[in-house]
Amino acid sequence: MPTESITQGRTTSRYGPASLLGRWWRLHVSGSVDHEAVVDRIVDESGWSPRFAFMTLMSAGIAVLGLLLSSPAVVIGAMLISPLMGPIMGLGFSLALFDFAEMRRSVTALLLATALAIGFTAIIVLCSPLKSATAEILARTRPNLFDLLVALFSALAGAFALIRGRGETIVGVAIATALMPPLATVGYGLATMNMAIAGGAFALFATNFFTIALSATIMARLYGFASRLSAQQGWLQTILLFAAFVLMAVPLGVSLNQIAREAVITSQARSVLAASFDDRARVTQLDIDFQASPIAIRAVIIVPKSQLVQNAKLVGALEQRLGQKVTLQADQVLIDPTAAPLDQERAAYAQAQEQARLRAEGTEISHLIAVAAGIDSADVLVDRDGQRAAAAAQALPGMSLAGYKALEDRIAGQADGWSIALTPPAGLTPTPVAFDGDDDTLSDAARAAIMVDIWAARRWNWPAIAVPGLTEPLPAKPTLEQRRAAAAAAVLREQGMTVTAGPAGASGAAMTLERAPSPAGE
């Protein structure tokens, strides 16, 4: 007990409140802990062993199947049998004790378990017919500050339970921190070559891993496991712990702010779309691509037939409310307000299904045209409602006008019901129209050449086609070139083209059609 002295009639202790609290903590709290038993238990569960490897594989397998099936119950089952908490706790206590042998042992087990889990889950995904990203997968790709706080609080509770002999609490900690599902998501991302998912999930795993380890270090220090350290070692440890939490908190805080901003934008967009119609309309689907520039909004809105709103008006309202440029794809499903509610739902469902089919077809056709024309999919103009698609092709080495027309025909043949317009590169020479010998009769090949030139003229928006050597009316004794020009002009007019006379070309077996100059003032 501290000695006491009488000073000016008052009894005082030579220990301050902080010292008294520290003595009470050491005597009645940390002093009541069996440190050797706790350390023995941690060492027993923190190393690599056949049992540890087997449980890691089973937990990883269950986790990835739960993610692919989007089943929270299955994912929770994987958390319950995950053995990763053992080596992470071992790492945390070894940091508090400066026990480098135990630190190496725990880190080795963690590295091997991480590689084993990621590899095993990747193999399962590669063998699985289900490879689409589910809600359970996407939920583990964007760690934020709240994830750090969840890991911090649950890890402190887990370390306390471990120290005080309340091992059953570790089960709840395993569910809260969710170490195995992020690793399974990393395996999914690698198997599907989606580095965004793999990177985000690994960041979540790293957040949970470091937070649990550092929280265990803090609890170990509080309960006197680091009592053999010098004052200098203690201060160094404190500074490093604080710096580690700050380094993790800053980017996670930025991520949380971004998520909050996206939630506000989503709420505002839904509010604007709903306010653009009357009370009978409802927004049934709203997806926003925040990575696009400007952000891309896609919505499905069920509205009465009389309430159709132009897309441009919706875009203007959204840009005014959000304060930034947006692109909008709004599918307005029209219903008859006089129909029974059940009939309205059936009609809305049928229209939504049809629009979804057109969107899928439009995406596929857009990709098909982009690959064939050597351009980006974003450069393909797609009118899903009108089932039309158009694009300007890049200049392909050695490709003639006939080749570009054949390319358009091939795409149209694969896009049943769609109108395809592929504009050939400007500057290509029209296909020569060849004649046989001294004959002025158009052969099948000559007619095919004229049809290619007509197609190109329409794609290039030519006002008229000039036929070299055309003379109208024909003289009493026309030359061979004049008769050939008249024959070509007749075919052009049959196809609805405007024909003008062009300068006479060189005498020969072929003529080349040209673009007629626009009339003055046009």
Side-chain angles (χ1 to χ4, degrees), residues 456-519:
R458 287 171 174 163
R459 294 291 177 265
W460 288 331
N461 293 317
W462 283 7
I465 293 180
V467 179
L470 178 64
T471 303
E472 294 181 319
L474 279 174
K477 293 182 178 181
T479 64
L480 177 61
E481 285 70 28
Q482 289 174 331
R483 295 199 307 273
R484 288 176 172 177
V491 175
L492 290 169
R493 289 192 174 106
E494 287 175 3
Q495 297 298 319
M497 299 300 298
T498 301
V499 180
T500 64
S507 178
M511 71 168 63
T512 301
L513 305 179
E514 301 174 352
R515 174 177 177 168
S518 300

Side-chain angles (χ1 to χ4, degrees), residues 105-422:
R105 185 168 174 269
S106 299
V107 169
T108 299
L110 280 170
L111 291 176
L112 291 174
T114 299
L116 189 64
I118 293 175
F120 187 57
T121 53
I123 292 172
I124 292 178
V125 173
L126 288 173
C127 297
S128 169
L130 302 176
K131 290 185 174 65
S132 59
T134 63
E136 287 291 322
I137 291 174
L138 296 177
R140 291 168 172 83
T141 59
R142 298 189 66 185
N144 58 70
L145 188 59
F146 283 171
D147 292 307
L148 185 146
L149 294 176
V150 168
L152 174 63
F153 296 152
S154 56
L156 291 175
F160 172 81
L162 187 64
I163 293 171
R164 303 304 299 183
R166 305 290 192 273
E168 64 277 3
T169 307
I170 294 292
V171 172
V173 174
I175 296 175
T177 53
L179 291 165
M180 188 56 75
L183 282 183
T185 306
V186 173
Y188 167 87
L190 294 178
T192 57
M193 300 303 292
N194 191 325
M195 295 303 105
I197 287 180
F202 189 79
L204 177 60
F205 170 75
T207 297
N208 290 341
F209 159 61
F210 283 112
T211 303
I212 295 171
L214 297 179
S215 300
T217 302
I218 292 172
M219 291 299 290
R221 288 195 58 181
L222 286 175
Y223 278 88
F225 285 85
S227 59
R228 291 173 292 177
L229 301 183
S230 65
Q232 184 178 7
Q233 289 175 321
W235 276 109
L236 175 62
Q237 196 176 72
T238 301
I239 293 171
L240 291 177
L241 286 171
F242 180 77
F245 275 112
V246 171
L247 288 175
M248 286 192 296
V250 170
L252 293 174
V254 172
S255 176
L256 178 61
N257 180 67
Q258 177 67 18
I259 292 173
R261 175 178 166 274
E262 292 176 2
V264 170
I265 291 176
T266 301
S267 177
Q268 291 176 336
R270 183 178 292 276
S271 175
V272 168
L273 292 174
S276 299
F277 303 89
D278 64 17
D279 295 339
R280 293 172 295 177
R282 61 184 183 276
V283 181
T284 60
Q285 182 177 340
L286 179 63
D287 299 317
I288 302 180
D289 183 2
F290 292 97
Q291 303 303 317
S293 181
I295 62 173
I297 301 175
R298 185 167 65 86
V300 177
I301 311 165
I302 298 179
V303 298
K305 292 182 178 179
S306 60
Q307 295 294 318
L308 183 66
V309 177
Q310 294 297 321
N311 194 74
K313 183 178 179 181
L314 295 175
V315 170
L318 285 167
E319 291 181 345
Q320 182 179 4
R321 178 66 180 278
L322 302 180
Q324 59 180 302
K325 292 289 185 180
V326 303
T327 60
L328 174 66
Q329 178 188 323
D331 295 334
Q332 299 184 42
V333 180
L334 305 180
I335 59 173
D336 183 2
T338 62
L342 181 58
D343 292 335
Q344 290 183 11
E345 292 295 333
R346 288 174 177 171
Y349 177 77
Q351 288 191 46
Q353 290 294 100
E354 177 64 15
Q355 290 175 349
R357 182 188 67 80
L358 291 176
R359 278 198 304 273
E361 278 190 0
T363 301
E364 182 179 350
I365 291 170
S366 174
H367 178 71
L368 182 65
I369 294 175
V371 172
I375 59 176
D376 190 86
S377 296
D379 296 327
V380 180
L381 301 178
V382 178
D383 177 9
R384 292 177 174 83
D385 294 332
Q387 293 188 273
R388 297 187 295 267
Q394 289 286 346
L396 302 175
M399 182 75 82
S400 64
L401 282 179
Y404 284 105
K405 184 178 185 303
L407 193 61
E408 181 188 276
D409 292 340
R410 187 161 61 248
I411 296 172
Q414 298 181 50
D416 186 31
W418 282 70
S419 174
I420 306 298
L422 185 65

